[in-house]
């Protein structure tokens, strides 16, 4: 959609000089001694995303959607059931899955967490999750930029 800010804060129209803040969110949590704050790119985050991992909605033991999307809405390729759930609910489901997956990934492999262990865990997960895609690229002589998401 050409009117969606696409991740940019600011207007896409010269006629409207007010910023588009529809994708601007502020989240906070009270931190205590020993807490760690992580900031990661969307690519690292996506390596925990159930849709990227091929996890279907029915694999998550979700209740049947009572706010299903209209059957007249065209299905996006690769959605495999995600298009039957209202988009705000999908976002919440994904955020919850990612949060739990990161926590599980970290707590199952390490005792006391340190920034180094946290970073190593995220790096190893990225390597593991992208192995199949990288192998395909190598077998077929493709560069990273030639692989369509």
């Amino acid at each position: 959609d050409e009117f969606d800010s696409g991740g940019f804060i600011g207007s896409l129209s010269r006629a409207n000089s007010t910023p588009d803040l529809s994708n601007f969110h502020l989240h906070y949590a009270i931190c205590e001694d020993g807490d760690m704050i992580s900031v990661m790119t969307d690519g690292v985050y996506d390596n925990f995303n159930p849709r990227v991992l091929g996890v279907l909605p029915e694999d998550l033991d979700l209740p049947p959607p009572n706010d299903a999307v209209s059957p007249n809405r065209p299905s996006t390729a690769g959605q495999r059931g995600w298009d039957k759930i209202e988009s705000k609910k999908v976002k919440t489901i994904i955020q919850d899955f990612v949060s739990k997956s990161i926590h599980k990934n970290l707590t199952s492999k390490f005792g006391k967490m340190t920034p180094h262990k946290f970073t190593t865990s995220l790096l190893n997960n990225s390597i593991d999750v992208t192995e199949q895609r990288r192998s395909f690229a190598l077998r077929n002589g493709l560069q990273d930029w030639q692989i369509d998401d």
Side-chain angles (χ1 to χ4, degrees), residues 12-149:
L12 294 178
S13 165
R14 291 182 192 267
N16 179 4
S17 62
T18 59
D20 176 3
L21 302 177
S22 63
N23 65 341
F24 183 81
H25 303 277
L26 173 64
H27 301 275
Y28 69 92
I30 305 299
C31 295
E32 297 178 13
D33 191 28
D35 287 350
M36 281 191 283
I37 300 170
S38 69
V39 178
M40 63 188 78
T41 65
D42 63 340
V44 173
Y45 181 90
D46 286 347
N47 289 325
F48 291 95
N49 185 320
R51 291 169 67 176
V52 172
L53 297 173
V55 176
L56 304 176
E58 56 264 24
D59 298 334
L60 300 176
D61 296 323
L62 300 172
N66 58 1
D67 53 352
V69 175
S70 165
N72 297 329
R73 177 181 164 204
S75 179
T76 305
Q79 294 285 12
R80 300 181 315 218
W82 288 100
D83 59 334
K84 293 180 174 47
I85 304 171
E86 191 264 326
S87 63
K88 286 183 182 179
K89 190 171 223 162
V90 167
K91 185 175 181 179
T92 301
I93 292 166
I94 289 173
Q95 288 171 339
D96 185 51
F97 183 91
V98 169
S99 178
K100 288 178 181 175
S101 295
I102 290 172
H103 185 264
K104 181 180 175 184
N105 184 278
L106 297 174
T107 57
S108 67
K109 296 180 181 176
F110 301 107
K112 184 176 180 339
M113 185 52 56
T114 66
H116 177 74
K117 288 179 182 178
F118 183 83
T119 303
T120 299
S121 179
L122 290 178
L123 177 62
N124 288 337
N125 183 73
S126 294
I127 290 169
D128 293 345
V129 168
T130 60
E131 173 63 33
Q132 184 177 16
R133 186 173 178 187
R134 287 182 289 109
S135 295
F136 174 83
L138 288 172
R139 283 192 313 272
N140 294 285
L142 301 175
Q143 301 295 320
D144 287 341
W145 55 268
Q146 292 175 306
I147 301 173
D148 187 24
D149 284 325

